[in-house]
């Protein structure tokens, strides 16, 4: 599972890394400064390609609930093992995206307060995601996204049994291609994601952070100490 993630990267860093070649900036890029804690239903940047090159958008971390799951918390993750068929198949086939992040948070312990961990690599991570349009409770339409997860490996597996599925720069274009995936292309894309996410998983490290990150209602998302290790 990926229940919270961090993305404090500056706008110009995101532009250089993802959309410098042909990307078209939106007005919000000029003022968005990132957040050290992004919680479900909040907005975060995603990268997608609608056929005219990569674009960066600010999108809601959420998803329209399936008919057989009308209640409960927001849908924020999609299991890699379930992408090719069923509920996630349309988005996997035609609406893939990248979710840039510095890292993500997971919690350990059987009782509250649980212990928060920050899991990260050496720089900005590129999580594989799906994006779609959903109807909000007020009947408005909103673009949304989910983070694709897989079984955890290495340091990630010591904290939680799931982790985001990450991409490497050489696979960005293949993942973001606006062409619909059918048949063998689905199998090949899943194999690519399995391979590259395993490679990135081996670079993930973790450390314990302050428990103040645990309460998304009171935490200050602009506080850089949220990512700092505590003894």
């Amino acid at each position: 599972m990926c229940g919270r993630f961090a993305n404090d990267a500056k706008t110009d860093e995101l532009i250089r890394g993802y959309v410098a070649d042909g990307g078209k900036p939106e007005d919000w890029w000029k003022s968005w400064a990132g957040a050290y804690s992004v919680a479900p239903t909040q907005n975060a940047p995603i990268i997608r390609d609608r056929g005219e090159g990569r674009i960066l958008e600010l999108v809601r971390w959420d998803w329209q609930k399936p008919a057989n799951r009308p209640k409960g918390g927001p849908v924020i993750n999609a299991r890699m093992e379930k992408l090719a068929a069923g509920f996630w198949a349309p988005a996997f086939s035609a609406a893939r995206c990248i979710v840039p992040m510095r890292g993500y948070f997971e919690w350990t312990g059987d009782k509250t307060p649980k212990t928060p961990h920050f899991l990260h690599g050496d720089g900005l991570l590129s999580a594989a995601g799906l994006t779609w349009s959903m109807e909000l409770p007020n009947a408005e339409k909103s673009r949304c996204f989910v983070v694709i997860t897989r079984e955890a490996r290495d340091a990630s597996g010591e904290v939680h049994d799931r982790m985001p599925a990450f991409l490497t720069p050489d696979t960005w274009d293949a993942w973001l291609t606006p062409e619909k995936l059918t048949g063998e292309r689905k199998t090949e894309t899943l194999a690519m994601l399995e391979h590259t996410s395993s490679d990135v998983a081996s670079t993930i490290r973790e450390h314990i952070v302050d428990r103040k990150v645990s309460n998304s209602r009171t935490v200050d998302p602009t506080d850089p100490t949220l990512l700092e290790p505590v003894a």
Side-chain angles (χ1 to χ4, degrees):
M1 178 175 180
C2 176
R4 194 94 61 82
F5 65 87
N7 193 342
D8 68 330
K10 297 298 182 182
T11 302
D12 60 351
E13 181 181 348
L14 292 176
I15 293 173
R16 284 198 306 270
Y18 293 98
V19 296
D21 299 327
K24 298 179 180 179
E26 303 290 342
D27 289 340
W28 67 265
W29 289 9
K30 301 172 184 176
S31 59
W32 189 83
Y36 293 95
S37 176
V38 178
T41 74
Q42 293 179 347
N43 290 339
I46 67 167
I47 294 87
R48 63 180 179 132
D49 186 345
R50 295 180 294 187
E52 299 179 351
R54 301 176 200 157
I55 60 171
L56 187 62
E57 295 180 302
L58 197 61
V59 174
R60 180 185 173 97
W61 189 16
D62 199 358
W63 201 270
Q64 192 86 45
K65 288 185 174 65
N68 62 354
R69 184 182 161 185
K71 298 181 180 180
V75 178
I76 57 173
N77 298 144
R79 286 179 171 254
M80 186 167 68
E81 303 90 332
K82 297 183 178 182
L83 294 180
F87 180 74
W88 296 112
F92 172 58
S93 174
R96 296 168 305 283
C97 67
I98 293 174
V99 185
M101 62 177 70
R102 274 284 305 278
Y104 62 102
F105 299 97
E106 294 291 3
W107 283 258
T108 57
D110 297 327
K111 297 180 180 180
T112 303
K114 294 186 177 183
T115 300
H117 301 250
F118 182 58
L119 296 101
H120 60 95
D122 295 323
L124 204 60
L125 296 168
S126 302
L130 305 175
T131 181
W132 209 252
S133 179
M134 68 177 288
E135 185 172 313
L136 300 177
N138 61 7
E140 291 184 0
K141 289 285 187 178
S142 174
R143 178 147 293 277
C144 60
F145 76 92
V146 292
V147 175
I148 295 172
T149 65
R150 56 162 296 151
E151 77 281 2
R153 300 281 178 88
D154 300 300
S156 304
E158 298 174 7
V159 179
H160 198 279
D161 63 347
R162 305 290 298 181
M163 68 177 293
F166 292 113
L167 297 156
T168 50
D170 60 306
T171 60
W172 290 350
D173 286 338
W175 178 255
L176 293 176
T177 177
E179 298 177 6
K180 288 188 177 181
L181 302 180
T182 59
E184 197 64 28
R185 288 288 305 282
K186 285 187 176 182
T187 303
E188 293 171 354
T189 301
L190 282 173
M192 177 191 73
L193 185 58
E194 166 67 31
H195 177 74
T196 188
S197 60
S198 293
D199 286 347
V200 176
S202 67
T203 71
I204 298 296
R205 304 184 301 279
E206 64 86 19
H207 59 256
I208 295 173
V209 293
D210 196 289
R211 285 195 174 101
K212 62 186 175 184
V213 75
S214 300
N215 192 331
S216 61
R217 296 181 180 178
T218 61
V219 67
D220 177 5
T222 66
D223 180 3
T225 66
L226 294 177
L227 307 188
E228 294 180 359
V230 297

